């Protein structure tokens, strides 16, 4: 109920600039547009529809009058990553068509982060998994609550890194530390992620929202053009490279999704989960 | 009065290779050329004339027989950055001409650091602000005294990053930590800057000069060609990129300097200062 | 005699896939191919013949059925680097021919690491020097025992960095910290190297082998294609650049090897050693 308590900021069906979303809460206040993943019962796992809604919400935020854009999760989780049930609805065209469609969606999703023109802040309110972690390398600030965790179990699921993490993670933390996450499924605590530079600052759980939002409100009072143009300047150095990396990652992931190795790994995951 | 006490090393009007400078002390001893910003009454703020003299001093040092070049400040400050009074002398051509001339000067200044062919060491004897901080990403070593601070308040002044910091800072410290400095005006202590890799090593204030200069004298005894060629090899990987970044930063800054947002922010700064 | 005790894993003349090596122990077990530098009496210094054998062993490991490849040293040293006696056997063509042949060998050696297609792990069992350190920036994981050290005394020997370290080290640890190693001969402890990101994790000497090998065996059970393709994806972003850096480093080093400065520095090294 404190200010910035995400779920408290907007009604169940959110409206920003007239647009309503099924899976997100989007609102603008104090020159900050906040995008809240609002599927807490499923740990904010991202469905196909949510990917589309997030892309749209980012495109709206890019054009609205806010100075800073915030990305966070409703409830105790930040985001549990790609909803694996996305893999279980095989369309008419079969696995190949599903893989290609999924790849295109992923490409556009990551593109929305690469091209985002204003300061973008992740307010990591709890555990973060998969694609919600990998795109963090493109956030301008990542503030995490003490109990947040960071996990990218790609090889466990027979997959490969996305979200430009194959480029940004080795840059941020060095190749070895990046590989522990991206190849060998190591889960980081918030403090570990901060020490490695993936997280900008860690806050105690008890004061997380109050401290972070007080700071963000001050940031949003700074000269807006200076902020946006400085962010774009910093991004411009890497932009072409990030798009190329996104393309390469998506192409590889499409191949992976069509492989037996990946299929078997995902099936094992579901079976292990069903036994619990 | 200890060795390396910068102000003690040379007379008020310094001479190196016959060249004299108004705003610098430049001397060569023990195979080390030392460039001292010598405007302590103004916290070594860099005027238009000083930019020109520093460029010239670097060009001389590049060609002299010294092995290592040191950059430091006279008095308690390292450097308070760009002298904002540079903005108050509007020339005949008006703000646009001033912005363009300032941009060209800045471009040549940063270029002198990109192209410098020998090991270049910052001996950070006190607070460092603005452009004196941003170019540090191109110094081969940065030794700081414990009480030094590092501050780049660009957005506060409606401006944008320069000195290739939009490229080097995210490389050195990760995007989030770089943005806290470059976008959100965070001031770092020497220990924080060292932890993030911007500073190579921190020394106690009491032994700073003695420890640093003893070490530098040893470094200057190493095979000179091996040092210079190794430095050039390391720089060559980034050189083209650094020039492109410098150009992009200067172009953006020229636009900024002509904007109302920047004008108003600088005026507010002067008014706030006048009230003190 | 514990599992993973390198020297215990294979007979004095090692055989992997029918191939025998004079200077290496190579074996495959639990889906891990292990390449052991086996010249402990000379601290595993790399002779011309050993370079060739390592290149061949890497090419075999790239094609065998193992999932992970490990590089380590027999005895108390990891590797003391390039065997300087390589410099003392001047061939018929004189110093120039020796320099060029040495350069070509070095180029191919480093190339084998750039192009290696599977997860490659350094198990650093003791002091590491020179080229055994510089190529670490291309290893996917670097596990070090507590008493390991990391030393690249190039300028002391009048030489310049290789193994792509002129690119990878500034990326991993920032320019200043990289220069302390590459230009100014600073030797790092395992903990320092880990803090800077060159080492992925440090283990107590007493449990090093047990902990590392238990972990590696678990890693080798992960989906092999996912691991290899993810590693290749991460490498692909830098591959072209790494080859260009390798070429530039080798060209510079060939010049260095033919210089009086380097000749004199190496002679001084041998004389100092002879006096001990």
């Amino acid at each position: 109920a404190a200010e910035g308590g995400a779920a408290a900021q907007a009604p169940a069906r959110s409206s920003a600039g007239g647009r309503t979303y099924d899976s997100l809460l989007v609102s603008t206040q104090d020159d900050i547009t906040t995008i809240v993943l609002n599927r807490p019962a499923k740990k904010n796992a991202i469905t196909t529809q949510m990917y589309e809604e997030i892309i749209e919400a980012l495109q709206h935020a890019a054009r609205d009058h806010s100075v800073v854009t915030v990305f966070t999760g409703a409830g105790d989780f930040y985001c549990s990553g790609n909803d694996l049930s996305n893999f279980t609805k095989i369309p008419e065209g079969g696995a190949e068509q599903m893989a290609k469609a999924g790849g295109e969606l992923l490409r556009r999703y990551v593109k929305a982060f690469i091209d985002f023109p204003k300061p973008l802040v992740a307010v990591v309110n709890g555990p973060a998994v998969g694609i919600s972690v990998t795109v963090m390398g493109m956030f301008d600030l990542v503030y995490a609550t003490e109990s947040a965790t960071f996990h990218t179990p790609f090889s466990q699921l027979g997959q490969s890194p996305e979200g430009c993490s194959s480029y940004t993670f080795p840059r941020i933390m060095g190749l070895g530390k990046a590989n522990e996450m991206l190849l060998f499924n190591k889960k980081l605590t918030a403090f570990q992620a901060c020490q490695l530079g993936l997280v900008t600052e860690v806050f105690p759980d008890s004061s997380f929202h109050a401290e972070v939002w007080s700071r963000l409100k001050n940031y949003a009072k700074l000269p807006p053009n200076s902020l946006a143009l400085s962010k774009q300047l910093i991004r411009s150095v890497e932009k072409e490279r990030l798009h190329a990396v996104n393309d390469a990652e998506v192409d590889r992931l499409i191949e992976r999704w069509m492989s037996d190795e990946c299929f078997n790994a995902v099936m094992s995951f579901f079976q292990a989960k069903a036994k619990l």
Side-chain angles (χ1 to χ4, degrees), chain A:
Chain A
E3 60 178 0
Q9 284 186 330
R13 226 178 141 77
S14 167
S15 152
R19 173 67 172 100
T20 58
Y21 298 92
D22 284 322
S23 61
L24 309 175
L25 301 171
V26 182
S27 58
T28 302
Q29 208 178 329
D30 300 317
D31 291 320
I32 300 171
T33 291
T34 304
I35 299 171
V36 185
L37 301 179
N38 191 29
R39 206 181 164 222
K42 293 290 185 181
K43 299 177 176 174
N44 299 318
I46 307 179
T47 61
T48 298
Q49 184 206 5
M50 281 175 81
Y51 281 113
E52 294 285 6
E53 289 199 348
I54 295 166
I55 293 169
E56 199 177 331
L58 286 170
Q59 286 168 347
H60 273 265
R63 289 190 307 262
D64 72 16
H65 294 294
S66 67
V67 176
V68 167
T69 301
V70 168
F71 202 86
T72 192
D76 295 333
F77 251 72
Y78 176 70
C79 174
S80 56
N82 188 37
D83 191 321
L84 287 176
S85 71
N86 291 344
F87 286 124
T88 58
K89 302 157 197 155
I90 310 284
E92 260 188 55
E96 186 175 341
Q97 190 191 307
M98 185 181 77
K100 284 185 177 167
E104 272 324 297
L105 180 59
L106 176 62
R107 192 190 313 265
R108 288 194 297 117
Y109 184 74
V110 174
K111 195 176 177 309
F113 287 90
I114 298 174
D115 291 336
F116 195 72
K118 299 174 181 180
L120 183 64
V121 182
V123 172
V124 187
N125 58 300
V129 181
I131 182 125
S132 75
V133 178
T134 55
V135 295
M136 275 181 197
M138 297 185 291
F139 275 72
D140 299 297
L141 295 172
V142 178
Y143 290 142
T145 200
E146 200 175 348
S147 59
T149 54
F150 301 82
H151 196 201
T152 54
F154 293 119
S155 68
Q156 233 162 39
L157 296 166
Q159 307 195 22
S160 55
E162 20 71 339
C164 292
S165 61
S166 66
Y167 176 67
T168 60
F169 278 32
R171 286 295 153 103
I172 292 169
M173 56 186 88
L175 185 56
K177 299 284 190 183
N179 281 329
E180 286 197 311
M181 289 192 76
L182 298 178
L183 267 63
F184 300 115
N185 311 300
K186 183 175 182 176
K187 188 194 285 190
L188 299 187
T189 65
F191 283 114
Q192 288 171 327
C194 188
Q195 207 171 15
L196 295 176
L198 182 62
V199 164
T200 315
E201 193 168 334
V202 179
F203 298 84
D205 292 343
S206 57
S207 57
F208 179 59
H209 277 293
E211 287 194 56
V212 163
W213 284 96
S214 143
R215 191 178 300 191
L216 292 177
K217 283 176 188 178
N218 282 325
Y219 287 171
K221 290 174 191 157
L222 290 164
N225 294 331
S226 171
L227 284 185
L229 293 169
S230 295
K231 185 242 158 97
Q232 290 164 32
L233 179 67
I234 292 169
R235 174 58 44 87
S236 69
V237 189
E238 307 287 6
K239 204 166 193 176
E240 202 180 334
R241 174 67 64 101
L242 289 170
H243 283 303
V245 168
N246 184 27
D247 288 347
E249 287 176 344
V250 167
D251 290 351
R252 179 124 301 173
L253 211 36
I254 290 173
E255 293 164 21
R256 293 271 79 215
W257 286 334
M258 296 189 293
S259 71
D260 289 345
E261 192 184 80
C262 176
F263 180 83
N264 293 334
V266 172
M267 285 305 106
S268 298
F269 174 84
F270 278 119
Q271 282 160 9
K273 214 175 159 188
K275 279 184 198 158
L276 294 180

